[in-house]
Amino acid sequence: MPPIPDVINKVPMMYRAQVTGRCQLQRLVPKAEEQHAQRWTKEWTERSYPHPPQFSQNVQTRSYSISWRFVTNAGQDDGIIRPVMGARGWPFYPGSSMKGLFRSACNPQQKARYCGQELPGGDMAPGILRFHGGYPTNKKWVEKLLDLVHPQQDYQVKRGNANHSAFMMISLYQPELNFGISSSEDLSPQEWTEIWQIWEKAMAKGLGSRVCAGYGHPSSISGDELYPPHRIHGRGMASKTLSGAEFRPNIFRAAIRGHALRIFGGLVPAPIAEREVDKLFGGLGSREPIVGLVGMKFVADDLNIDRHGRGRFEVRTYDVTGQLSWLLTRPLPDVQREALKNLILRLNQFAMILGGFGKSWRRIDHPFFFEEYYNHPNKSYIGCHWEWIDKFKRDVQIAAPKHLEQFMNNRLLPSVKEWLKLQGVNLNSQYAQEWRETWHTAKVQVWGRIAQNQEDSIAVKWFHQPYYSDNKQGIRNSIKGTSITGRLGTIGRIWHRMYPQFKFSQGDTPTKTRGYVELITIFPDQSPECRQFLTFLQQEQQDFQRVWPLNN
Amino acid sequence: MYHKAYGIIETLAPLHVGASAGEEMGNLNLIFRDQFTQTGIIPGSSIRGRFRADMRSGANKGDVNQWYGHEAVAGQSDGGTTEALVKFEYASLVWFPVFCPGQPVVWVSCPRLLKRYQMIIGGDAKIPQPYTADNSLQAKQFSEQKTTRKILFFNLGFMEIEHTQDMQSWIPQGSSLQKNSLVVVGDNDIAMLHDMGLYRQSRVKLQDDMKKVAGGAFFNVEAIPEGSVFIFPVGLKEIGWNPFVTEAEQEMYFGGLESVGFGRCRVTLAGAYQ
């Protein structure tokens, strides 16, 4: 055979060693023209079969859509999570995984009949069902395979210099999967109905890996929800992915988990706070991995991805409405379950009242609240905005700054303490002093006021110009670009929020007003700008009142 | 004089016919392989067992003892066993799909496997030489070259197609193969390409109550991939054997791991059997 020029670089990525220069799938090389994982997926998909593999007529099938992403790790490559490849290059949910999940949703009789049982003497009797696994129903699976995972908890909560690099994963985006089951006996239609009911019950726990982060949940089936879902609406900047932009529901879990860590860290020492958060949301643990108690699912019923800004300031944005559910991953005694329900509910309220979700969640949505900012060209999108829809009575909780203290001291903190006590944690007055954001009276202050309408944010201007200036004396006090507001590459120490104001009247559903509760949350540092700004808040302005902690 | 028939097996799911315990390596459950080409086979005993069991329980409840021989009965002279009227040999691969990123899925075979195939179906067509494909094969193109060389990548490196011929006559009856994806490689290459195309899966047992590995033990299993085509000879002392009633083909399950969807195959019978 005559030589092939540059043959070494024509070897498909899948057959290359995972070493520098050859192929490193998990690595994200900034500004690279093409990531290795991009080429890997392109090669994988470009000549794979055009038609999905089909089950035969004797196999019963049903299709289900996945609400967001889905992955079953093949375990074939080191350092990267990627799907199992089935026939002719199609991604595949293996029958063995399907059987395992199905079995976990069976009662003992069903388990024995459908999945087999152990006989006396250690022999096994086979079950009557065969689980054929699942394939995507169409070729859309080739789109948006690259999934950037970007863990930031340590960076945001604990230390500003913590490592937070992104890495690559390969998962299917909103696939519709066709699952097959057949039986070695002829079964009645009623029994098939029962079998598919078991499968749906099984699927409700989530399929494949990373289900606690919202992966692998069927759109139409609900698992063991802690309480009815929150319906919410939000807008902000979409996450950047290599294939464009995407609304990534795991932002909810990241935010709630981060807040749990901040709040636990204000009540117990750092290692205990971390351990308790891992027990709730899962983690690597100190000795062996911990499976979290709480899973998350988000089903968007209306999602618009759009653009904002021009040129290099252009970003992709989302406007989304959907249902956010929190699921229990395994049974819990009633007392614990009730406490967990309260805890997660309060953490959700905390996140909605004081923060937001996703990119730039510490700032208010500038295009919405501070339109004039964009009178100048070349301004970046800043902030995000989230609102409740429907279940206001349960979710809103504050209608005025003064309610914040009630929420903190009568609702949130008791539910946290109750949960920690049930976990056998001893609450003495120690806390995670070293972290940059700890929810402890010595570490945080919340200030609030009522804004009359959307345009009436006072604090938003403090981020962009001096909060105090006296031209005669040449004084310009500003927090812009300091460690408080943050700058490029540094996370700020202040959260700013316009929380929609509702009117509560006895017995009625609260109604939305035009106003907002404007809240700023500060985790002061030792900088002179910070001290000066706190003095300003305390002595030189009347708009904002300190709302938490009150007696400190 | 035997009546000669044969069966074509097309796998519709991964197929695992396990090797004996002595051939297992570590925690990888190997498939049973032919000793010369090192490609997967289905032993005659597995085929016979499945046909026999299906005749016992299936729609066509034939005289199992007549066709497959009478089992030993205590007290009878010589156990009362009889000779089977139908005899099976092992199934060998004819075509085997290999998925490689960036190039079309191709089905590979080699002269040795095709020779066995031809011996079973009869005929005297010339066995394709190594590195032969149909003219219609779409392969990787290397545009730097003046000639339109057809090159494929396999785990043993790049392979150039040296000969072309019409492959239609090498498509077994009842299989769904397309001639534009058939590639004949050398007898020395097939074992390695077979290794590249096998379906491999790592499996773990999870805890009953938690999505977490139970105990840390895992094992790997290999299987013949979906879309592979086998042939096996059938010898009959009498015609009239009618395992699929009126049809020539039927779905059957071979090998292990049936409960997780393995082993589903379409079997097509041909030759003198009914």
Side-chain angles (χ1 to χ4, degrees):
Chain A
M1 185 169 113
I4 299 168
D6 191 25
V7 68
I8 190 173
N9 288 322
K10 289 179 176 136
V11 175
M13 300 305 269
M14 201 179 284
Y15 296 108
R16 293 194 186 182
Q18 290 285 316
V19 292
T20 316
R22 291 304 288 153
C23 181
Q24 285 195 297
L25 290 180
Q26 83 288 2
R27 250 181 89 191
L28 181 76
V29 183
K31 297 193 177 114
E33 207 165 280
E34 186 182 50
Q35 304 291 338
H36 285 170
Q38 274 176 309
R39 183 153 158 211
W40 189 95
T41 47
K42 202 175 110 206
E43 287 177 341
W44 172 27
T45 55
E46 69 183 350
R47 303 296 283 274
S48 60
Y49 247 58
H51 309 296
Q54 294 294 320
F55 300 116
S56 68
Q57 285 172 343
N58 309 336
V59 177
Q60 300 258 331
T61 60
R62 284 205 188 177
S63 300
Y64 298 90
S65 301
I66 301 296
S67 65
W68 176 45
R69 285 185 169 273
F70 166 76
V71 66
T72 309
N73 189 12
Q76 301 286 308
D77 293 300
D78 229 14
I80 186 161
I81 294 174
R82 59 107 159 159
V84 181
M85 273 176 215
R88 292 154 221 187
W90 276 64
F92 180 50
Y93 180 69
S96 49
S97 305
M98 191 178 176
K99 183 176 176 184
L101 190 62
F102 184 92
R103 195 171 178 274
S104 72
C106 285
N107 64 34
Q109 290 79 25
Q110 291 166 334
K111 211 179 272 184
R113 177 166 168 78
Y114 297 138
C115 303
Q117 60 182 321
E118 208 164 317
L119 298 173
D123 207 3
M124 290 290 288
I128 60 166
L129 295 186
R130 311 179 189 106
F131 296 89
H132 298 270
Y135 281 106
T137 56
N138 57 55
K139 190 87 203 228
K140 275 189 74 170
W141 68 267
V142 304
E143 292 162 20
K144 301 189 182 181
L145 281 168
L146 284 174
D147 188 357
L148 277 183
V149 185
H150 193 179
Q152 312 187 33
Q153 179 177 284
D154 289 357
Y155 173 56
Q156 296 223 8
V157 179
K158 298 179 199 164
R159 302 179 315 274
N161 59 355
N163 175 33
H164 64 104
S165 49
F167 60 91
M168 222 78 83
M169 195 168 113
I170 293 167
S171 64
L172 304 185
Y173 184 77
Q174 295 186 337
E176 187 188 48
L177 299 170
N178 189 28
F179 298 96
I181 304 178
S182 69
S183 169
S184 56
E185 286 175 16
D186 282 334
L187 304 179
S188 66
Q190 289 84 342
E191 189 161 11
W192 275 114
T193 309
E194 190 197 337
I195 288 166
W196 285 109
Q197 276 166 356
I198 299 171
W199 175 239
E200 292 188 358
K201 189 176 148 201
M203 261 196 315
K205 298 177 183 175
L207 291 165
S209 326
R210 297 181 70 86
V211 296
C212 64
Y215 285 63
H217 288 285
S219 308
S220 53
I221 304 164
S222 296
D224 186 5
E225 289 171 340
L226 276 170
Y227 52 85
H230 301 278
R231 191 141 182 275
I232 50 181
H233 168 246
R235 38 172 287 163
M237 269 175 291
S239 304
K240 232 162 119 177
T241 65
L242 289 169
S243 43
E246 175 177 317
F247 176 71
R248 298 178 61 85
N250 54 1
I251 58 174
F252 300 113
R253 181 170 178 271
I256 301 296
R257 192 191 163 111
H259 289 320
L261 199 57
R262 289 179 182 94
I263 295 163
F264 287 11
L267 294 167
V268 293
I272 298 174
E274 279 175 10
R275 186 192 69 204
E276 291 306 319
V277 168
D278 280 354
K279 277 161 70 179
L280 280 174
F281 296 98
L284 292 175
S286 53
R287 258 178 253 127
E288 56 172 39
I290 300 167
V291 177
L293 268 176
V294 180
M296 184 216 93
K297 170 179 174 179
F298 182 80
V299 182
D301 43 44
D302 189 10
L303 169 64
N304 293 302
I305 299 280
D306 214 331
R307 285 168 206 277
H308 183 272
R310 266 176 309 178
R312 65 188 183 90
F313 294 93
E314 183 183 293
V315 287
R316 304 297 293 272
T317 59
Y318 61 79
D319 189 308
V320 68
T321 306
Q323 302 223 38
L324 175 63
S325 326
W326 295 96
L327 313 164
L328 202 53
T329 61
R330 54 182 182 271
L332 266 191
D334 284 350
V335 181
Q336 298 236 1
R337 189 188 168 108
E338 186 59 24
L340 183 61
K341 181 192 115 180
N342 280 329
L343 173 71
I344 298 296
L345 176 66
R346 300 308 176 202
L347 287 173
N348 271 267
Q349 290 165 344
F350 179 90
M352 286 289 280
I353 295 164
L354 292 163
F357 303 102
K359 276 182 152 179
S360 200
W361 64 266
R362 287 174 168 82
R363 309 281 294 272
I364 59 169
D365 190 275
H366 280 39
F368 190 67
F369 292 104
F370 194 40
E371 235 185 312
E372 64 198 77
Y373 182 64
Y374 297 97
N375 290 344
H376 306 276
N378 301 346
K379 291 289 183 193
S380 314
Y381 196 119
I382 297 175
C384 65
H385 187 64
W386 289 88
E387 294 195 2
W388 303 109
I389 296 180
D390 301 343
K391 292 202 175 58
F392 305 128
K393 230 178 206 166
R394 185 193 68 186
D395 290 327
V396 170
Q397 299 293 323
I398 74 161
K402 62 175 190 223
H403 294 151
L404 191 93
E405 203 224 357
Q406 294 165 12
F407 172 73
M408 279 299 159
N409 296 351
N410 304 342
R411 298 197 182 94
L412 177 84
L413 292 175
S415 73
V416 176
K417 288 176 184 163
E418 171 68 15
W419 174 256
L420 290 174
K421 267 187 216 147
L422 282 173
Q423 300 307 301
V425 175
N426 181 17
L427 298 174
N428 44 32
S429 50
Q430 293 176 51
Y431 69 103
Q433 296 193 39
E434 302 303 311
W435 292 354
R436 53 190 301 279
E437 294 183 359
T438 316
W439 204 263
H440 185 272
T441 48
K443 299 278 281 186
V444 65
Q445 297 181 13
V446 185
W447 294 72
R449 69 176 273 268
I450 290 292
Q452 296 310 312
N453 56 47
Q454 193 181 325
E455 274 119 51
D456 183 28
S457 166
I458 288 179
V460 71
K461 299 187 178 78
W462 300 343
F463 290 84
H464 299 284
Q465 58 208 23
Y467 54 85
Y468 176 81
S469 61
D470 186 330
N471 285 338
K472 273 185 205 154
Q473 299 190 30
I475 301 171
R476 288 167 70 84
N477 291 339
S478 177
I479 53 170
K480 186 185 172 188
T482 65
S483 60
I484 310 157
T485 52
R487 49 187 165 248
L488 209 65
T490 310
I491 295 181
R493 299 177 153 268
I494 185 164
W495 309 350
H496 180 212
R497 180 94 176 116
M498 296 281 272
Y499 186 70
Q501 189 198 16
F502 281 75
K503 235 188 346 226
F504 287 91
S505 49
Q506 213 69 43
D508 292 334
T509 306
T511 49
K512 207 177 154 195
T513 69
R514 296 185 63 227
Y516 292 86
V517 184
E518 183 170 13
L519 293 167
I520 49 181
T521 304
I522 309 166
F523 298 87
D525 63 4
Q526 297 308 315
S527 66
E529 293 91 351
C530 188
R531 251 174 294 163
Q532 202 172 43
F533 182 58
L534 289 179
T535 311
F536 165 75
L537 283 177
Q538 280 152 13
Q539 293 164 14
E540 295 156 31
Q541 58 89 38
Q542 269 89 48
D543 299 302
F544 282 91
Q545 305 298 315
R546 188 152 105 173
V547 286
W548 201 83
L550 278 188
N551 43 4
N552 191 336
Chain B
M1 184 62 189
Y2 282 96
H3 301 278
K4 287 185 179 171
Y6 62 89
I8 300 291
I9 295 174
E10 182 167 352
T11 58
L12 304 175
L15 169 73
H16 175 86
V17 184
S20 62
E23 289 178 69
E24 286 187 15
M25 281 161 47
N27 61 0
L28 175 61
N29 292 336
L30 297 177
I31 55 160
F32 202 47
R33 285 164 162 86
D34 157 62
Q35 60 179 319
F36 298 111
T37 56
Q38 290 297 315
T39 55
I41 62 167
I42 310 174
S45 57
S46 299
I47 302 174
R48 176 186 141 93
R50 174 51 76 187
F51 270 95
R52 187 164 182 245
D54 282 5
M55 187 175 265
R56 209 183 280 130
S57 63
N60 180 29
K61 286 196 174 63
D63 188 342
V64 176
N65 287 339
Q66 182 203 347
W67 287 106
Y68 300 95
H70 203 289
E71 79 271 23
V73 183
Q76 296 237 1
S77 67
D78 202 21
T81 55
T82 59
E83 187 189 351
L85 296 183
V86 55
K87 291 147 200 268
F88 300 88
E89 283 179 44
Y90 75 94
S92 57
L93 272 171
V94 189
W95 295 106
F96 180 82
V98 180
F99 172 76
C100 177
Q103 72 185 33
V105 182
V106 293
W107 273 256
V108 297
S109 193
C110 67
R112 187 177 180 105
L113 290 174
L114 290 179
K115 206 177 235 165
R116 184 171 193 261
Y117 168 73
Q118 196 183 44
M119 272 167 55
I120 297 167
I121 64 161
D124 53 6
K126 196 168 162 281
I127 305 282
Q129 290 174 272
Y131 318 117
T132 299
D134 196 273
N135 208 16
S136 58
L137 175 84
Q138 303 273 318
K140 263 187 192 293
Q141 297 289 335
F142 291 92
S143 51
E144 304 93 327
Q145 306 293 313
K146 279 182 189 151
T147 53
T148 44
R149 300 167 64 194
K150 282 189 177 167
I151 293 169
L152 293 169
F153 180 84
F154 295 116
N155 53 350
L156 40 70
F158 288 92
M159 176 184 284
E160 184 165 12
I161 303 302
E162 296 174 0
H163 315 281
T164 55
Q165 73 173 66
D166 184 8
M167 299 298 282
Q168 189 63 46
S169 57
W170 294 98
I171 297 179
Q173 193 178 343
S175 78
S176 56
L177 295 177
Q178 305 281 318
K179 68 173 182 176
N180 64 6
S181 19
L182 303 182
V183 175
V184 179
V185 303
D187 288 342
N188 293 333
D189 302 329
I190 195 78
M192 203 166 179
L193 299 191
H194 177 266
D195 236 37
M196 173 177 173
L198 283 179
Y199 176 91
R200 289 205 175 83
Q201 195 190 351
S202 302
R203 302 177 65 197
V204 288
K205 186 188 184 317
L206 300 184
Q207 290 180 9
D208 283 342
D209 58 340
M210 212 194 279
K211 212 164 177 175
K212 187 174 172 184
V213 177
F218 72 98
F219 62 95
N220 298 299
V221 64
E222 62 175 29
I224 298 282
E226 193 173 331
S228 308
V229 177
F230 289 88
I231 188 164
F232 63 95
V234 181
L236 292 134
K237 293 191 92 172
E238 261 174 42
I239 56 172
W241 178 61
N242 217 2
F244 304 160
V245 200
T246 54
E247 307 292 323
E249 60 168 60
Q250 187 173 297
E251 276 191 13
M252 298 180 102
Y253 284 84
F254 294 103
L257 300 172
E258 194 177 318
S259 74
V260 295
F262 279 38
R264 189 166 59 91
C265 295
R266 183 171 56 237
V267 182
T268 309
L269 294 175
Y273 66 97
Q274 57 177 9

